[in-house]
Amino acid sequence: MTKKITVKKIQSIRGIHDGLPETVCQWQQVESAARTVFSRYAFNEVRLPILEPTHLFVRSIGEQTDIVAKEMYHFVDQGHDHICLRPEGTAGAVRAYLQAGLTRSGLQRWFYVGAMFRRERPQKGRLRQFQQIGAEFFGAAGPLADAEVLAMAWQLVHRLGLQHLTLEINSLGCPACRPGYREKLVLFLRQQTANLCPTCIQRIDSNPMRVLDCKVPQCQQYLQDAPEVISHLCDDCNSHWQGLQAGLTALSIPYCINPRIVRGLDYYNRTAFEIVTDQLGAQGTVLAGGRYDGLVESLGGPATPAIGFAAGVERLALLLPETMAEKAKVTMVAMGNEAVILASMRHADTLRQAGIATIHAGGGTMKRQMKIADREQTPFCLIIGEDECATGQVMCKNMRNGSQQQQTITQAMNTILQDG
RNA sequence: GUGGAUGUAGUUCAAUGGUAGAGCCCUGGCUUGUGAUGCCAGUUGUUGGGGGUUCGAAUCCCCUCGUCCACCCCA
């Protein structure tokens, strides 16, 4: 008698999911679209660390942001270093750019794909470990760079065949003009305190621009007449803003102005943009980015203009049609003694080396092996028994129409390759 | 961090305090070396986990974990 022992199943961590074949297939579609599009804009891939010093994000993203204040996975390692799992990509990219001493190497166009970590409550389109495709363009100050980067982002979603997406743009001003605007906004908001939600009232002092994208309908109602950044831009910011729009128009990129776009991360200035969908519930932002001219300097480098964006791989994948994992082309069926089995293995390998994805049904009864071929949906079956083995041939069966004929392995290979 | 819904076989779902079941999947069979439909047979569960109430709990209560959705935040 054997006693059945049940072992407690180990589960993945909350909000951290496995990528199984069908899902990964979609991720790869997103990635390959990005690689194709980005390479046309001469952006080069970088692979950056997942672990970074905690301080990097405190300094760049801002201590007051939710990401840093409560969502980072951080810990002290055995050497007493403060380390965290990166919650986003831009800070690490800037750190690497500085560390490599590239500030005098002209323009740098980078992109990356990788996992980011934020300890949030999971929800549709929101995971604790998720993947971002990001792009960063260092060293270009003019609006042409903004237009190109936005165009690249737009081409990415376009290449994925996604419909019903909107590109929204805004300008956040700069350290020269934002304080003046901020004062006007605070003045306006103070007159509305009776009508605003408690969170908004709190934010009037802490971060007044965030009030603008409050989702409470009543707040939005009273914010309709709020002063907008884009009508309070300084001359430089305004000409940059106009230049961006001229660029987008010249490139025939459809966009709409959304003066409510603000940024949770502290380092953004001037151009801010998002590509949004109405098909993902509350998590409608599929790609977001903007200009961050002050970040390189604030991390200890020379003043360097820069612009970038990040796209959520899982969110984009949610918009893609369902896909099938990669299927094999041929099932190898072997009937007979060991010599036959070995011959079938050699044949399978010959096919693979010719670039034909092949699975071996593993011997056993004919029926069992044919069922495997059927389940795997391979369009062809190569059957080898003692007869075929003796004549150096295989039975090549077309599983779609049921026809079959004896052929040499080379002939069979041609038949399969011609099938497309 | 807050709120709502939810958790039963590999999977989709039944079972309204009284013996845990069905479809699909899977395995084998319906004579010899041929899959999809058909027929027959078979395997599968600490009912997420732990406590409590009860003669008796998948069912009621408490705790905990996961999932989904929303708030918040963001990609």
Side-chain angles (χ1 to χ4, degrees):
Chain A
M1 290 293 278
T2 52
K3 192 177 173 185
K4 192 170 180 181
I5 302 166
T6 39
V7 181
K8 204 173 201 174
K9 277 183 195 154
I10 298 175
Q11 285 185 309
S12 66
I13 294 166
R14 175 175 218 187
I16 300 187
H17 293 187
D18 301 310
L20 298 178
E22 284 78 12
T23 311
V24 172
C25 194
Q26 292 185 313
W27 293 350
Q28 284 173 339
Q29 282 178 45
V30 175
E31 281 179 37
S32 94
R35 284 177 207 285
T36 305
V37 171
F38 292 0
S39 74
R40 292 178 186 173
Y41 287 80
F43 277 61
N44 298 306
E45 182 171 1
V46 290
R47 303 207 179 178
L48 303 172
I50 289 169
L51 295 177
E52 292 278 6
T54 306
H55 196 56
L56 171 65
F57 300 105
V58 177
R59 250 178 36 200
S60 61
I61 304 178
E63 205 159 357
Q64 303 306 318
T65 59
D66 281 9
I67 292 179
V68 170
K70 46 192 186 191
E71 294 173 2
M72 285 207 300
Y73 284 96
H74 55 88
F75 59 95
V76 181
D77 78 357
Q78 296 92 323
H80 311 292
D81 291 320
H82 290 258
I83 283 173
C84 73
L85 273 62
R86 62 182 181 192
E88 60 101 38
T90 300
V94 171
R95 197 226 78 233
Y97 169 78
L98 286 174
Q99 190 168 330
L102 294 169
T103 53
R104 289 163 167 269
S105 304
L107 303 179
Q108 293 288 320
R109 296 177 179 85
W110 288 5
F111 79 91
Y112 51 82
V113 184
M116 307 295 163
F117 303 82
R118 293 180 200 173
R119 200 182 183 290
E120 301 181 273
R121 189 90 169 245
Q123 188 181 328
K124 188 183 184 72
R126 196 171 84 179
L127 297 163
R128 289 184 173 186
Q129 176 177 336
F130 59 100
Q131 297 167 89
Q132 284 190 338
I133 294 181
E136 315 290 352
F137 186 4
F138 297 111
L144 179 79
D146 301 45
E148 272 193 10
V149 167
L150 268 70
M152 186 168 87
W154 187 250
Q155 292 303 330
L156 168 60
V157 295
H158 180 75
R159 190 175 177 84
L160 286 168
L162 301 178
Q163 309 289 320
H164 312 297
L165 291 173
T166 312
L167 170 64
E168 301 185 340
I169 62 171
N170 192 22
S171 175
L172 304 176
C174 68
C177 54
R178 209 179 323 174
Y181 163 72
R182 196 183 149 119
E183 263 176 49
K184 284 190 179 132
L185 178 63
V186 169
L187 213 64
F188 170 86
L189 293 174
R190 289 211 191 288
Q191 291 163 358
Q192 302 291 332
T193 43
N195 305 315
L196 297 175
C197 72
T199 329
C200 283
I201 292 168
Q202 248 184 348
R203 283 188 176 145
I204 293 176
D205 295 316
S206 61
N207 194 348
M209 288 176 72
R210 300 243 43 177
V211 176
L212 294 176
D213 74 342
C214 178
K215 291 183 185 86
V216 179
Q218 202 200 325
C219 290
Q220 280 304 326
Q221 190 187 326
Y222 287 98
L223 289 170
Q224 273 179 7
D225 300 323
E228 295 171 345
V229 212
I230 44 176
S231 39
H232 295 80
L233 297 174
C234 62
D235 289 350
D236 285 350
C237 283
N238 194 48
S239 75
H240 191 272
W241 173 236
Q242 299 304 330
L244 164 63
Q245 291 180 67
L248 290 176
T249 304
L251 294 168
S252 305
I253 308 288
Y255 66 91
C256 64
I257 295 169
N258 178 357
R260 295 284 190 268
I261 291 181
V262 297
R263 282 281 96 104
L265 282 46
D266 287 353
Y267 51 65
Y268 287 104
N269 69 311
R270 288 192 179 166
T271 307
F273 67 101
E274 295 185 0
I275 295 178
V276 299
T277 174
D278 55 6
Q279 292 171 38
L280 288 181
Q283 260 59 45
T285 304
V286 127
L287 182 152
R291 183 163 276 282
Y292 51 93
D293 293 335
L295 181 58
V296 174
E297 193 172 10
S298 79
L299 287 176
T304 307
I307 179 166
F309 65 81
V313 174
E314 287 87 349
R315 285 188 189 176
L316 286 169
L318 283 173
L319 299 174
L320 255 34
E322 302 252 322
T323 54
M324 304 270 278
E326 192 85 4
K327 294 285 183 211
K329 191 93 176 153
V330 176
T331 303
M332 183 67 64
V333 172
M335 292 290 296
N337 57 28
E338 195 184 346
V340 176
I341 301 290
L342 292 175
S344 70
M345 286 173 64
R346 277 198 303 275
H347 285 327
D349 225 47
T350 305
L351 294 175
R352 290 166 183 150
Q353 287 183 28
I356 302 167
T358 304
I359 56 173
H360 195 293
T365 64
M366 173 69 84
K367 193 181 184 75
R368 192 191 76 86
Q369 296 186 76
M370 292 308 289
K371 273 191 170 176
I372 289 173
D374 187 50
R375 198 177 339 164
E376 298 284 343
Q377 294 175 13
T378 58
F380 288 94
C381 224
L382 293 192
I383 302 162
I384 179 165
E386 283 165 30
D387 296 349
E388 287 86 356
C389 206
T391 60
Q393 292 190 310
V394 293
M395 183 68 82
C396 178
K397 174 162 182 161
N398 183 320
M399 294 296 280
R400 287 188 290 250
N401 59 25
S403 69
Q404 62 181 32
Q405 67 183 120
Q406 284 218 356
Q407 294 180 319
T408 65
I409 187 70
T410 313
Q411 287 168 332
M413 229 153 59
N414 285 333
T415 306
I416 294 158
L417 287 170
Q418 274 164 26
D419 182 71

